Amino acid sequence: MKEKIHLHQIHPVLPVWDVLDALDFYVNRLGFRIAFADDSKNPKYAGVIRDDVEIHLQWHDRKEWDFDIDRPMLRIVTQNIEGLYDEFAEKDVFHSHTLLRETAWGTKEFAFYDPFKNGLTFYRDMSSV
């Protein structure tokens, strides 16, 4: 009997120009904790984790941000979208257009960018409520 194939996690790698600054943002503003870092003083690659979500942060030369290119956009599922929105609002991470809204595709969500222009969308599927 063959073992069933099952994909169960994804660990996206986000480009950042300063891993320490990224760790500070994700830990102190978004409530993640450090899962690992390749160097404690000057990391080039690190991971943060909150609940079941793990995000990796990888150093890239700051010159890469001189070019207007699309950066990654993550969609992260949450259960208490209102509570998370309130938590992040208190941490002043939103831009002026960040709203908690219901979408035409049946979600309630909000989105913003981290300091490195990586997009973060947090959402709840309203059809399962």
Side-chain angles (χ1 to χ4, degrees):
M1 176 182 243
K2 285 188 174 182
E3 184 177 346
K4 180 181 176 187
I5 297 171
H6 176 78
L7 306 179
H8 62 94
Q9 290 184 14
I10 186 169
H11 299 156
V13 179
L14 298 180
V16 300
W17 63 74
D18 187 312
V19 175
L20 282 177
D21 282 351
L23 288 170
D24 178 60
F25 178 79
Y26 280 86
V27 170
N28 295 318
R29 309 271 302 275
L30 301 187
F32 284 77
R33 64 179 171 78
I34 297 173
F36 67 88
D38 65 352
D39 184 290
S40 62
K41 299 207 185 303
N42 187 25
K44 299 297 183 206
Y45 193 82
V48 292
I49 191 166
R50 180 170 175 170
D51 302 322
D52 296 327
V53 173
E54 184 172 325
I55 298 171
H56 294 191
L57 307 163
Q58 183 176 37
W59 177 86
H60 286 246
D61 191 305
R62 189 171 186 136
K63 293 177 188 173
E64 291 181 28
W65 279 261
D66 292 342
F67 303 100
D68 191 22
I69 62 170
D70 289 334
R71 298 281 168 204
M73 173 62 81
L74 305 184
R75 290 185 57 81
I76 302 168
V77 181
T78 187
Q79 291 179 5
N80 182 355
I81 191 70
E82 293 86 359
L84 188 63
Y85 181 85
D86 291 344
E87 176 187 324
F88 288 170
E90 290 177 10
K91 299 289 187 170
D92 194 30
V93 298
F94 297 150
H95 55 72
S96 61
H97 301 293
T98 301
L99 298 172
L100 180 59
R101 64 190 181 97
E102 291 190 24
T103 67
W105 48 91
T107 65
K108 193 170 200 179
E109 61 185 54
F110 64 92
F112 58 95
Y113 294 98
D114 76 5
F116 308 93
K117 300 182 182 176
N118 298 302
L120 303 171
T121 299
F122 295 86
Y123 75 98
R124 167 126 194 212
D125 181 354
M126 297 309 288
S127 65
S128 63
V129 176

